[in-house]
């Protein structure tokens, strides 16, 4: 099946096929390094992160996560966008169609320090810069929800720093972040109100959810968070709207978390589980690649599992 972006057309400064290595876009690296230096974290980024480290809400935990995990989160999102190994089937094409032009609404949950949004924007701009995809003017409205104020500050800073580069590729962004606790109904209703108002004039709506399974599954928060996800997904329905959920690959995610998500989605929108499974079979996939670390002379392995959910415009009876 032909792709909208053929893997052989991906510039080698983003993907080197012989070694199967990803390279983060230079403007993204520059902004990350600039923020590391501004926050006295350049040395921290050279350290080896503890295997058990998953982050937290404090300034110290947020800084450590930004120094140690930001590049990995960027690489997973970038891998889902480019799909250089033809593993992800229709996921990459969905991104290209969504960001073809006009006005797009992007919701990033939880946005963390902005890795997913910044990776999408810089990868898109880089493909435009090197004439891989058309350079049609596009306005992207962005809302990021995140519980940590420190992480939201990083998101704001990195998007502000990318604006000039994006503008040169006919990409204009309007971004805002909001305090969001997925387990708090009132916090969630404020987010839903924000995304409903911000996205009402957009042609395409994309909901990105990434790196959430550890909190929802291992911390046993799904039951408390599920009503909030239901509210978000119900209010995200539109004629051209979909969600992409990205997680680090593991048996627990593939066989447990994502399987449960599919059943939950089918129940929420009253879909026939068998038909929905058939429909979404080729939008669920996993991939892996090596990524060149921007500050070290070594490559690290990135594994991802990704599932796409197309929101039905009308509910089934």
């Amino acid at each position: 099946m032909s792709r909208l972006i053929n893997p052989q057309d991906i510039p080698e400064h983003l993907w080197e096929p012989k070694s199967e290595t990803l390279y983060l876009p230079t403007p993204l690296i520059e902004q990350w390094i600039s923020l590391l230096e501004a926050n006295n974290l350049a040395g921290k980024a050279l350290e080896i992160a503890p295997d058990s480290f998953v982050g937290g809400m404090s300034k110290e935990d947020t800084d450590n996560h930004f120094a140690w995990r930001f590049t990995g989160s960027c690489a997973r999102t970038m891998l889902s966008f480019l799909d250089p190994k033809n593993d992800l089937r229709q996921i990459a094409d969905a991104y290209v169609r969504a960001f073809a032009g006009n006005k797009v609404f992007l919701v990033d949950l939880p946005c963390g320090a902005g890795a997913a949004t910044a990776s999408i924007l810089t990868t898109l701009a880089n493909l435009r810069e090197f004439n891989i995809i058309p350079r049609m003017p596009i306005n992207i409205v962005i809302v990021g929800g995140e519980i940590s104020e420190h992480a939201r500050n990083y998101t704001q800073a990195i998007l502000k720093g990318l604006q000039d580069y994006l503008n040169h590729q006919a990409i204009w962004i309007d971004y805002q972040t909001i305090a969001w606790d997925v387990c708090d109904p009132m916090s969630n209703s404020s987010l839903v109100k924000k995304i409903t108002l911000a996205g009402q004039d957009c042609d395409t709506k994309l909901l990105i959810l990434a790196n959430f399974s550890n909190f929802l599954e291992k911390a046993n928060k799904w039951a408390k968070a599920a009503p909030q996800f239901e509210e978000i997904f119900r209010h995200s329905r539109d004629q051209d709207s979909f969600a992409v959920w990205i997680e680090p690959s593991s048996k627990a995610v593939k066989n447990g978390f994502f399987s449960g998500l599919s059943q939950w989605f089918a129940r929420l929108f009253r879909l026939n589980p068998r038909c929905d499974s058939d429909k979404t079979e080729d939008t669920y996939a996993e991939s892996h690649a090596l990524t060149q670390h921007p500050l070290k002379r070594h490559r690290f392995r990135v594994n991802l599992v990704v599932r796409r959910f197309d929101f039905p415009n009308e509910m089934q009876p």
Side-chain angles (χ1 to χ4, degrees):
M1 182 182 295
S2 62
R3 292 265 308 276
L4 294 178
I5 298 177
N6 292 319
Q8 60 266 30
D9 294 332
I10 300 173
E12 288 197 3
H13 61 267
L14 295 180
W15 170 253
E16 206 290 303
K18 290 183 180 179
S19 61
E20 296 190 340
T21 301
L22 280 172
Y23 293 84
L24 300 181
T26 299
L28 176 59
I29 295 173
E30 291 174 345
Q31 288 303 313
W32 178 62
I33 292 176
S34 175
L35 287 172
L36 287 176
E37 293 174 346
N39 290 274
N40 298 314
L41 296 172
K44 176 75 68 174
L46 295 173
E47 297 176 2
I48 298 175
D51 290 337
S52 60
F53 178 76
V54 295
M57 288 181 58
S58 71
K59 181 68 166 66
E60 180 181 5
D61 283 343
T62 302
D63 285 348
N64 286 340
H65 197 276
F66 187 67
W68 291 335
R69 303 294 192 218
F70 184 81
T71 52
S73 297
C74 289
R76 269 190 296 276
T77 306
M78 185 180 174
L79 182 59
S80 75
F81 192 115
L82 293 176
D83 184 25
K85 300 172 70 175
N86 275 319
D87 291 332
L88 308 181
R89 306 174 190 178
Q90 297 181 20
I91 301 293
D93 282 354
Y95 281 121
V96 177
R97 291 192 185 96
F99 293 102
N102 298 320
K103 193 173 185 180
V104 179
F105 187 44
L106 173 60
V107 180
D108 186 354
L109 302 175
C111 68
T117 294
S119 302
I120 289 172
L121 294 176
T122 52
T123 302
L124 175 68
N126 203 276
L127 294 173
R128 285 168 164 243
E129 182 180 0
F130 288 87
N131 300 313
I132 307 302
I133 56 177
R135 190 172 170 274
M136 301 293 292
I138 183 172
N139 292 278
I140 304 176
V141 180
I142 302 162
V143 172
E146 167 61 45
I147 193 170
S148 168
E149 178 184 5
H150 308 297
R152 295 196 305 273
N153 290 339
Y154 276 127
T155 298
Q156 292 277 345
I158 204 163
L159 294 181
K160 181 179 180 180
L162 289 171
Q163 278 191 300
D164 286 345
Y165 171 66
L166 298 174
N167 291 166
H168 278 99
Q169 300 308 318
I171 300 170
W172 287 270
I173 60 172
D174 178 6
Y175 59 91
Q176 55 186 311
T177 59
I178 181 173
W180 175 61
D181 180 352
V182 69
C183 294
D184 182 352
M186 294 303 294
S187 170
N188 197 68
S189 293
S190 296
L191 171 71
V192 168
K193 181 179 180 180
K194 178 77 70 176
I195 63 178
T196 299
L197 294 173
Q200 59 186 348
D201 296 325
C202 295
D203 305 290
T204 303
K205 298 179 180 179
L206 168 59
L207 172 61
I208 290 283
L209 303 110
N211 305 326
F212 228 159
S213 61
N214 192 68
F215 173 78
L216 295 172
E217 285 284 279
K218 291 185 179 180
N220 296 315
K221 297 294 186 179
W222 174 256
K224 192 171 183 180
Q228 284 69 252
F229 281 117
E230 291 174 3
E231 186 179 18
I232 292 168
F233 273 51
R234 283 196 305 268
H235 284 84
S236 296
R237 292 184 304 118
D238 214 329
Q239 187 150 356
D240 192 3
S241 60
F242 65 101
V244 172
W245 198 310
I246 304 169
E247 292 291 340
S249 181
S250 70
K251 288 184 179 179
V253 171
K254 290 183 288 185
N255 300 330
F257 183 64
F258 269 8
S259 176
L261 271 182
S262 297
Q263 297 173 26
W264 167 82
F265 185 81
R267 290 193 301 270
L268 177 63
F269 291 109
R270 304 169 193 163
L271 302 174
N272 183 310
R274 178 175 298 177
C275 293
D276 184 57
S277 176
D278 293 341
K279 180 180 178 182
T280 62
E281 180 180 352
D282 59 355
T283 63
Y284 162 82
E286 59 181 317
S287 189
H288 66 273
L290 294 173
T291 303
Q292 178 62 51
H293 194 285
L295 298 179
K296 302 178 184 179
R297 298 182 64 182
H298 84 267
R299 298 174 295 169
F300 59 89
R301 184 181 172 94
V302 170
N303 305 281
L304 71 81
V305 179
V306 57
R307 177 173 284 277
R308 169 180 148 195
F309 295 98
D310 293 314
F311 293 119
N313 196 28
E314 295 182 2
M315 297 285 287
Q316 297 296 318

